[in-house]
Amino acid sequence: MSKPRPISGFPEWLPPQRMIEQRFLDKIKSVFEVYGYAPLETRAVEPLDQLLRKGETSKEVYVLRRLQEDSSASSPDDSLGLHFDLTVPFARYVLENSGKLNFPFRRYQIQKVWRGERPQEGRYREFVQCDIDVVDRDTLPAHYEAEMPLVIGDALGALPIPPVTIQVNNRKVCEGYYRGLGLGDPEAALRAVDKLDKIGPGRVATLLTETAGATDAQAKAVLALAEISSTDASFADSVRALGVSDPLLDEGLAELVQVVETAAAYAPGLCVADLKIARGLDYYTGTVYETQLAGFERFGSICSGGRYDNLATSGNERFPGVGISIGLTRVLGLLFGADKLAISREVPTCVLVALSDEEHRRAADDIAAALRRRGIPTEVSPTAAKYGKQIRYAERRGIPFVWFPGDPDSIKDIRSGDQAEADPATWSPPAADLHPTIN
RNA sequence: GUGGCUGUAGCUCAGCUGGUAGAGCACCGGGUUGUGGUCCCGGUGGCCGCGGGUUCGAAUCCCGUCAGUCACCCCA
């Protein structure tokens, strides 16, 4: 049997990294809850036709089947696929449970998702998304679109990561503008504009004429819009100065102004209106969000979302929503890769109780139990090796304290070498040492 | 899914035009007979990603495959 090997795109962290991930998850969850989002988890699979209902994502969906399946029995329609995001399953869940939910419904959902795409740094086939959404019945007030960045700003701002910038745009602005321009294929135009940073205005203009059926003048006008960006409401004036008019454009501008002004009021510097942001997913109908992590811009957005008006609809029931999702695995993968995240020890243990000989293991266990009762993470030395080796056992793992049973007991801080008498019923470590700390 | 680059010890890397492997760090042991980290001495450890092929002989050449990475696609 040869040595097991990793599976491409399915990352597995070491314990220190997992501890960091768990801290992040705890923090994100608490911020989501402080905004009143309710926890939710949906199953990992959805019927394939549900997953493929929107967009051409078919080839990236992992299909589930039993090893001993009668291939003739199941049609493609009722086979199951692993969800590739949390928005589509959530829309399904809302429709299924609409009678039991109170609207507007605010929920957060932190789960793994799967996409069968070619992995590379910061891009995985299995990764964790931390998602918030608000849906309402029939109509969804636009102020929720302004709330999303605030939640994310608080959540990401509370983590020990580089600063982030949330870029916002509104599909109505682009579509209204394109319509006012008389452009043939708005979808294709959006896709072309989305590449502006990567391939530059010249090649975007070419793409626009080739794929979106734009004239040279239209391409120029589309680029003029895409190049507008501001951290305050002034982008709206810049757009109006382009002289294109359309009711949808005005509606979009008003909504985008509200998002940017709200952000500027509560989280200065967090948001920037950036009219080239398009987002690939075609179910977005209003505000769209992307997020850049300072220093890691080339790896793409770490947190994206938008407003969708038609995702959760069934018959004449309609649940428009807005949501945004943190790509936690990407954030971690990038920061781990750049050595920007470290934790003070590789185990939770704060105290190692040394063992003089196996006859005294019971006494050492008693000490450990007393410390644990007071919430101090403690383990007893695995063997009664020489004390030097026991200290080294702690040192290798970053455990800060070694407890020496005796008469009296003593506790040694192996970083400073300080050693003092201690009583397991009363001794406590400095608060900063009780649990591993990040960075 | 398409294409490019890379793959030698736990880590970072040597190994000329093919002659069955080396360094530093890490790890283990001893010096230091039960309180580590320095220093000295010694040692373990690699089917050279994996599988085929060419060859008397392959880490080295060829093909495939897996993994990492980059570009495209798309996206967290």
Side-chain angles (χ1 to χ4, degrees):
Chain A
M1 188 70 182
S2 56
K3 194 177 177 180
R5 312 221 153 260
I7 298 175
S8 186
F10 291 78
E12 294 182 311
W13 308 132
L14 291 166
Q17 300 172 313
R18 175 58 173 160
M19 286 196 282
I20 292 170
E21 180 175 42
Q22 284 183 322
R23 293 296 179 81
F24 279 37
L25 288 166
D26 288 347
K27 195 63 189 179
I28 291 166
K29 174 184 150 169
S30 77
V31 171
F32 287 173
E33 291 191 353
V34 91
Y35 274 86
Y37 291 84
L40 186 69
E41 177 167 288
T42 60
R43 64 204 183 199
V45 294
E46 296 291 334
L48 207 51
D49 58 336
Q50 278 281 338
L51 290 175
L52 302 180
R53 204 154 48 95
K54 301 286 174 185
E56 302 170 40
T57 42
S58 57
K59 48 183 185 176
E60 68 182 33
V61 171
Y62 278 104
V63 174
L64 197 71
R65 69 181 168 80
R66 288 188 306 130
L67 209 50
Q68 315 207 13
E69 195 167 47
D70 182 355
S71 55
S72 64
S74 62
S75 68
D77 275 0
D78 49 69
S79 60
L80 301 175
L82 293 170
H83 56 225
F84 56 86
D85 71 7
L86 299 175
T87 307
V88 170
F90 174 57
R92 186 271 309 161
Y93 179 92
V94 166
L95 287 173
E96 191 174 319
N97 295 283
S98 60
K100 302 168 194 155
L101 302 174
N102 286 311
F103 293 93
F105 179 50
R106 309 154 65 79
R107 79 90 179 81
Y108 73 91
Q109 203 169 330
I110 300 176
Q111 289 181 240
K112 282 187 172 168
V113 304
W114 295 267
R115 293 182 191 173
E117 292 210 337
R118 184 71 108 234
Q120 54 193 67
E121 185 166 20
R123 313 185 57 183
Y124 306 98
R125 290 177 159 174
E126 177 179 74
F127 58 98
V128 174
Q129 286 195 327
C130 310
D131 190 284
I132 51 170
D133 280 89
V134 181
V135 294
D136 206 344
R137 193 188 288 276
D138 299 324
T139 59
L140 178 78
H143 61 79
Y144 288 117
E145 289 162 76
E147 178 178 313
M148 296 292 129
L150 301 183
V151 184
I152 296 304
D154 280 358
L156 294 180
L159 301 176
I161 63 174
V164 300
T165 305
I166 302 178
Q167 302 161 294
V168 295
N169 192 5
N170 193 303
R171 280 279 169 88
K172 293 177 187 171
V173 171
C174 297
E175 284 177 28
Y177 183 87
Y178 297 165
R179 201 162 71 189
L181 225 48
L183 197 66
D185 188 347
E187 297 281 330
L190 279 175
R191 270 194 296 276
V193 161
D194 200 37
K195 302 184 201 303
L196 186 56
D197 279 342
K198 202 165 251 179
I199 67 178
R203 292 184 55 199
V204 170
T206 310
L207 265 181
L208 284 168
T209 53
E210 285 175 356
T211 68
T215 64
D216 287 351
Q218 286 173 327
K220 199 174 171 188
V222 167
L223 276 171
L225 181 77
E227 279 160 358
I228 292 171
S229 134
S230 76
T231 55
D232 55 25
S234 67
F235 69 89
D237 300 326
S238 308
V239 174
R240 292 195 184 96
L242 295 175
V244 175
S245 75
D246 181 276
L248 193 61
L249 171 59
D250 293 337
E251 200 179 313
L253 284 176
E255 289 171 5
L256 195 51
V257 163
Q258 189 184 359
V259 172
V260 170
E261 288 190 330
T262 302
Y266 286 94
L270 176 66
C271 279
V272 54
D274 210 327
L275 302 198
K276 67 172 174 294
I277 298 301
R279 304 266 57 241
L281 294 177
D282 56 6
Y283 53 68
Y284 293 124
T285 50
T287 307
V288 291
Y289 316 93
E290 288 203 353
T291 308
Q292 300 288 327
L293 183 62
F296 298 86
E297 292 82 359
R298 78 177 185 91
F299 295 99
S301 174
I302 58 154
C303 176
S304 306
R307 175 176 177 132
Y308 44 91
D309 282 275
N310 308 314
L311 198 54
T313 55
S314 171
N316 50 11
E317 277 199 308
R318 176 182 206 77
F319 301 92
V322 59
I324 188 165
S325 193
I326 301 170
L328 182 61
T329 309
R330 168 170 291 180
V331 173
L332 292 170
L334 293 178
L335 294 174
F336 290 154
D339 268 322
K340 297 284 193 202
L341 278 177
I343 191 158
S344 57
R345 51 182 115 125
E346 62 182 52
V347 290
T349 313
C350 177
V351 176
L352 175 75
V353 181
L355 193 61
S356 59
D357 54 69
E358 282 301 330
E359 286 65 47
H360 287 83
R361 182 169 288 280
R362 180 57 187 271
D365 286 339
D366 287 347
I367 293 165
L371 293 171
R372 291 172 187 145
R373 267 195 296 277
R374 292 188 298 110
I376 301 167
T378 304
E379 59 180 297
V380 175
S381 186
T383 62
K386 290 201 268 188
Y387 277 161
K389 293 206 162 109
Q390 297 189 43
I391 291 170
R392 201 161 65 186
Y393 173 96
E395 202 237 334
R396 291 278 148 76
R397 292 163 177 74
I399 299 169
F401 296 100
V402 176
W403 189 285
F404 293 100
D407 194 17
D409 289 356
S410 64
I411 182 92
K412 174 173 184 143
D413 181 334
I414 64 173
R415 297 160 301 186
S416 62
D418 296 343
Q419 189 163 342
E421 285 185 22
D423 180 343
T426 58
W427 179 86
S428 286
D433 289 330
L434 186 57
H435 300 293
T437 53
I438 295 174
N439 280 349

